[in-house]
Amino acid sequence: MHPTLVAVAHGSRDPRALHTAHALLERVRELRPRLDVRLGHIELNEPLLDDTLNGLSGSAVLVPLLLGRGYHVKRDLPEAAARASHLLTRVAAPLGPHPLLVEALYERLLEAGWTPAPGSAVVLAAAGSRDPDSAADTRRTAALLSERLGGVPVTPAYASAAAPTAPEAVRALASRGHHRIAVASYFAAPGRFATQTAAAAPGLAAAPLGDHPALARLLLHRYDEARALPLGLVRPELVSA
């Protein structure tokens, strides 16, 4: 019997976020039909993670629908797993950084109308965290996206808790002569932060990652990685991306 895959979303007051999470998990189920796939939220939406875990038996792998090693990944998920003492649990690494995420970011930019041209640059808009590991993960994703775009400069920016903001990043790029600046949305789902950072775009703004097929494959990849590790709580900060 395979462990249940519990996808852990942050939660949002934006109703599109819950719809997006369900759509992504439907893609996961299509890729692996016999796998039990559940959803749990850290806050703001039902089902909450504790309620999802309380309804399970046997074993489970918690896969964060989060993009870096911030507080939720390092503290909230392991603590929730520990509270579910009736389960054998593993906690997977966050989704990012990873080449599949970069592919999804690249394709969202193409969908928004991005084309390479002189003077191009991209702002990678992320939620932000005070955790230096989270910032390092975002910078790594920005570097990978720059490579995927053929060397186009990609500057990380944040909606909260870190600098620069998206408007600051746009101004900095413009001061260096970049006049075609796009915003890539480094968010798993629509919400306030994604909308806020997209508004800073002087040109096109890509959609959030959402239910992109690459995310479904990546979610299963993180699940499989965690399954291969010994039973018990996996410290995501020690798992290389």
Side-chain angles (χ1 to χ4, degrees), residues 84-112:
S85 56
H86 62 293
L87 292 174
L88 297 173
T89 54
R90 299 174 176 89
V91 178
L95 297 181
H98 193 276
L100 284 170
L101 273 183
V102 173
E103 198 60 28
L105 287 165
Y106 174 72
E107 291 187 7
R108 291 296 190 223
L109 283 167
L110 294 182
E111 290 168 2

Side-chain angles (χ1 to χ4, degrees), residues 6-224:
V6 179
V8 185
H10 181 276
S12 171
R13 292 184 176 87
D14 189 319
R16 295 174 297 170
L18 182 59
H19 174 79
T20 298
H22 283 301
L24 176 61
L25 296 194
E26 280 306 306
R27 289 193 183 275
V28 173
R29 294 183 182 104
E30 289 170 3
L31 290 171
R32 203 166 296 184
R34 296 184 180 181
L35 180 62
D36 186 10
V37 178
R38 307 291 182 95
L39 177 64
H41 293 90
I42 294 169
E43 58 182 2
L44 298 175
N45 289 117
E46 295 181 350
L48 292 172
L49 177 57
D50 283 346
D51 294 334
T52 296
L53 296 179
N54 287 339
L56 298 177
S57 60
S59 59
V61 176
L62 279 60
V63 183
L65 299 181
L66 302 166
L67 304 176
R69 295 169 293 167
Y71 182 87
H72 295 309
V73 171
K74 290 183 178 181
R75 296 291 299 276
D76 287 342
L77 270 65
E79 288 175 2
R83 288 192 297 271
S85 56
H86 62 293
L87 292 174
L88 297 173
T89 54
R90 299 174 176 89
V91 178
L95 297 181
H98 193 276
L100 284 170
L101 273 183
V102 173
E103 198 60 28
L105 287 165
Y106 174 72
E107 291 187 7
R108 291 296 190 223
L109 283 167
L110 294 182
E111 290 168 2
W114 186 89
T115 55
S120 295
V122 172
V123 172
L124 181 65
S129 170
R130 293 183 178 86
D131 190 311
D133 285 338
S134 179
D137 289 344
T138 304
R139 289 193 300 271
R140 176 61 179 153
T141 298
L144 291 171
L145 181 58
S146 177
E147 292 175 11
R148 184 65 179 87
L149 295 173
V152 169
V154 178
T155 298
Y158 305 96
S160 68
T165 65
E168 290 168 345
V170 168
R171 288 194 294 270
L173 287 167
S175 71
R176 299 201 293 270
H178 298 287
H179 56 273
R180 294 184 74 252
I181 302 171
V183 171
S185 186
Y186 197 39
F187 297 95
R192 178 169 62 92
F193 283 166
T195 301
Q196 172 186 317
T197 54
L204 65 88
L209 296 162
D211 65 339
H212 192 283
L215 257 70
R217 299 198 303 273
L218 179 54
L219 204 153
L220 286 169
H221 173 68
R222 293 302 193 205
Y223 169 84
D224 291 335

